[in-house]
Amino acid sequence: MTILFTSNTDGGMLHFVVQLLLIHTQLQKEALLFLPRESTVTIPEGMENRFVFYDKFRTIKKNDERIKALAEQIKTNQPDLVWYGDSSILSMQLSIMLQKDVKQVLSLHDAGTYHPSNKLTLKEKVQQKYTNHLLRLSLKALDKVQLLSESCEKTFTSLYPRFADKSIVMPLGATMPKAEAVKPEEIKEEAFYLFFGRIDKYKGISRICKAYCKLEGEKPLLILAGKGTYTEEEKECIKGDSRIMTLNRYISDEEMLWLLEHAICVTLPYNEATQSGVLPVAFAYGKPAITSNEEGLTQFMEQGKTGYICATEEEYVHALEQMMHKDISGEMGKNAYRYYKEHLDWKRNVETFLNRMQQVNK
């Protein structure tokens, strides 16, 4: 029995653990998913008894009775493995509480680093310090740390050399919800360049906007879909072209699926990255990508085959121009899907990972 645990209520990390639950079912392995009661989640038909909802809470007390109660509830299921889908404070507190009782693994999505943000309050900065302290205690308690790429592992082992032997790489597959696609009401066209994800400083949105503004003649829309705060530079770039559309709000699962189905390509002009959850989803939909030359992205790209890797504004312009040609973007989309099946297939990667975890001694 695997217990999957998250304290996220929406977004990519929630999709991640739901997908893990689905793969366990396909592999005919017992699993339960613990998640907050207020989670925005689509429960697959017939899997209602696999979801265990709990009341989410916050505490800095390591021996808080609510943590103990949640730990006891998990233990009553006699799990062989507890798999934390995120490095939230509650996940780490639970891992510390359960360290002597069950084998544990944590999925560390950003290798223990923080991306620079457009808006970080003093309270959030203090929380980061506390989280860093808690992470070290959690790493000591865990049996393994699952990292999503070779780049993630390199970063993790440099940050935490003491725990390097606990790292284990399992690439991220496509985290796609089971839902019907719904067209966002703001969109009138059905072919566009797409940026999808949380809007933040490290996403490099001005890079793709500046390049897009240099395209001449008729061109597809550039849609920036995701909630967050744009920098002043990004705001000016967006104002510079009426063909740039922003959907600066929460994007539902159904809308996300429609956007991916109709995109010409997906753009990831990030300033930094150790991996991306957007890239495997794009490939799973047969969509090529335009990315920056960050190692966390390029390790999954085949230049000129699954898309374009760009280092300069001119290269972004060229990539966008090439994607307008249906024969080029179509062929790259086929290559992207092939790459996904060969390297990022969930079922094969999770099965391999679970087999490796079975060999870990508690």
Side-chain angles (χ1 to χ4, degrees), residues 69 90 107 121 145 175 207 210 224 278 295 299 306 312 317 348:
L90 185 54
S107 293
T121 65
V145 179
T175 52
R207 288 175 169 177
K210 286 179 179 179
L224 311 176
V278 175
E295 183 183 358
Q299 63 191 314
T306 61
T312 67
V317 173
R348 180 173 61 240

Side-chain angles (χ1 to χ4, degrees), residues 78 116 200 254 259 268:
Q78 299 181 320
D200 220 331
E254 293 80 3
L259 289 167
L268 297 92

Side-chain angles (χ1 to χ4, degrees), residues 16 109 146 148 170-175 275-278 280 340 344 346:
F16 173 74
H109 291 257
Q146 182 241 329
L148 303 173
M170 186 194 82
L172 181 63
T175 52
Q275 55 84 29
S276 168
V278 175
Y340 174 79
L344 302 173
W346 265 108

Side-chain angles (χ1 to χ4, degrees), residues 46-294:
M47 294 189 66
E48 293 82 2
N49 63 344
R50 299 277 186 164
F51 287 72
V52 180
F53 292 94
Y54 66 87
D55 294 315
K56 187 175 178 179
F57 58 89
R58 293 182 179 181
T59 180
I60 60 172
K61 297 179 181 178
K62 63 179 181 179
N63 291 318
D64 191 294
E65 291 300 322
R66 291 168 295 180
I67 300 176
K68 290 181 180 179
L70 196 50
E72 288 301 319
Q73 186 181 1
I74 288 172
K75 286 196 293 184
T76 58
N77 293 282
Q78 299 181 320
D80 303 305
L81 175 68
V82 177
W83 189 340
Y84 303 98
D86 56 66
S87 55
S88 65
I89 288 175
L90 185 54
S91 293
M92 292 188 290
Q93 288 169 326
L94 264 177
S95 70
I96 296 166
M97 182 73 69
L98 287 169
Q99 61 185 300
K100 296 180 180 179
D101 301 307
V102 63
K103 192 184 298 181
Q104 302 184 102
V105 63
L106 166 69
S107 293
L108 199 55
H109 291 257
D110 287 308
T113 61
Y114 293 101
H115 294 299
S117 176
N118 293 337
K119 190 176 181 181
L120 204 61
T121 65
L122 177 60
K123 181 180 178 181
E124 289 170 331
K125 290 178 181 178
V126 172
Q127 181 174 306
Q128 277 191 2
K129 287 186 177 295
Y130 174 66
T131 302
N132 283 334
H133 166 70
L134 204 59
L135 178 58
R136 292 184 181 277
L137 295 177
S138 178
L139 291 175
K140 185 178 179 180
L142 294 162
D143 296 281
K144 286 291 180 180
V145 179
Q146 182 241 329
L147 300 159
L148 303 173
S149 69
E150 300 295 335
S151 178
C152 283
E153 185 177 47
K154 184 190 298 183
T155 300
F156 174 79
T157 54
S158 66
L159 287 172
Y160 308 102
R162 178 184 173 188
F163 303 110
D165 62 336
K166 292 191 177 187
S167 67
I168 182 170
V169 175
M170 186 194 82
L172 181 63
T175 52
M176 297 181 292
K178 298 292 183 180
E180 294 294 325
V182 173
K183 184 178 182 179
E185 60 182 18
E186 299 97 326
I187 300 177
K188 307 303 179 185
E189 302 180 26
E190 299 200 356
F192 43 82
Y193 305 117
L194 177 64
F195 172 92
F196 177 80
R198 180 169 59 88
I199 306 300
D200 220 331
K201 185 177 181 180
Y202 76 94
K203 295 295 182 71
I205 292 171
S206 62
R207 288 175 169 177
I208 201 69
C209 289
K210 286 179 179 179
Y212 180 80
C213 289
K214 288 193 172 183
L215 295 179
E216 298 179 353
E218 292 187 15
K219 57 187 178 184
L221 277 175
L222 169 60
I223 296 178
L224 311 176
K227 189 176 181 180
T229 303
Y230 290 101
T231 65
E232 291 303 316
E233 181 185 25
E234 289 164 354
K235 290 176 184 178
E236 288 302 313
C237 290
I238 292 167
K239 288 179 183 178
D241 198 308
S242 62
R243 296 287 288 164
I244 300 177
M245 173 182 284
T246 62
L247 302 181
N248 193 0
R249 58 175 175 79
Y250 171 73
I251 306 297
S252 70
D253 291 348
E254 293 80 3
E255 290 176 317
M256 177 188 74
L257 295 178
W258 190 92
L259 289 167
L260 288 164
E261 287 175 2
H262 292 83
I264 296 169
C265 65
V266 174
T267 66
L268 297 92
Y270 299 176
N271 295 324
E272 62 172 61
T274 54
Q275 55 84 29
S276 168
V278 175
L279 195 56
V281 175
F283 283 7
Y285 268 83
K287 303 297 179 179
I290 297 174
T291 77
S292 66
N293 61 345
E294 289 293 315

